[in-house]
Amino acid sequence: MGTAPLIVVSGPSGVGKSTVVSAALAGDPGVWLSVSATTRLPREGEIDGVNYFFVSPERFEGMVQSGEFLEWAEFAGNRYGTPRGPVQERRAAGTPVILEIELQGARQVRRSDPTARLVFLAPPSWEILEARLTGRGTESEEAVAARLEAAREELAAQGEFDDVVVNADVQESAQALLDFLHG
Ligand code: 5GP
């Protein structure tokens, strides 16, 4: 028996990755979303172990050193990584896995696992992305600026992905993800 599929969902901060992935999970509860570790502080309403494992920079570094991450990256001043063990266990048990990660992480997965399917979620326009990121109100002005700078780089790299989905409609984007997952 082969392992279950791995789908990487990437795209600029503010494009709506979390919303689309949540809708996909609601449409297919048999899929598992990996929970990343991060050194970022929790936003209001975020729960440790659910949205992320919120860890100290020291703990994160320890995880890097002991090879616990499938991939990890620094993004807008914080570090983020995918714990390797749970992803391997789920896939070996036949459960398809989704990773919601940024560009550098997606590139690492591509190198380490050529069977992974990389999906880029793109905004309908730059103006819409900017408005979403600014209007979200969860980050400082400085953090928003760092995310917009990263977004330019990410948008320029969308040609590296297997699929590009323009996120104009959450349900349609979620369905596109499920279609990739199922074949
Ligand atoms: P946020 O701080 O908005 O939750 O996440 C910032 C960026 O980091 C987003 O693009 C998000 O998808 C990405 N990210 C979240 N978890 C991981 C991870 O484990 N690895 C990588 N490379 N990026 C991640």
Side-chain angles (χ1 to χ4, degrees), residues 51-168:
N51 305 94
Y52 281 106
F53 296 105
F54 295 99
V55 301
S56 66
E58 293 72 25
R59 170 102 181 89
F60 194 99
E61 179 59 23
M63 293 173 81
V64 170
Q65 293 304 328
S66 55
E68 281 175 60
F69 289 126
L70 181 65
E71 61 73 35
W72 67 269
E74 194 156 331
F75 180 87
N78 292 295
R79 295 169 101 189
Y80 299 81
T82 304
R84 184 193 304 276
V87 173
Q88 279 176 346
E89 285 156 25
R90 292 297 201 300
R91 293 182 73 197
T95 302
V97 171
I98 296 182
L99 306 185
E100 191 195 311
I101 62 179
E102 54 67 74
L103 175 64
Q104 303 163 70
R107 286 174 170 157
Q108 290 169 48
V109 174
R110 158 122 300 160
R111 282 196 294 273
S112 65
D113 183 353
T115 71
R117 186 147 181 180
L118 270 57
V119 181
F120 188 87
L121 205 58
S125 72
W126 175 259
E127 288 68 28
I128 288 176
L129 182 71
E130 214 172 10
R132 280 191 194 158
L133 205 44
T134 313
R136 195 156 75 169
T138 49
E139 267 83 29
S140 66
E141 215 170 293
E142 201 184 359
V144 169
R147 282 161 187 261
L148 281 170
E149 195 181 310
R152 287 186 195 284
E153 222 174 281
E154 304 211 87
L155 288 172
Q158 57 186 285
E160 296 174 28
F161 286 74
D162 299 311
D163 311 280
V164 175
V165 173
V166 176
N167 186 24

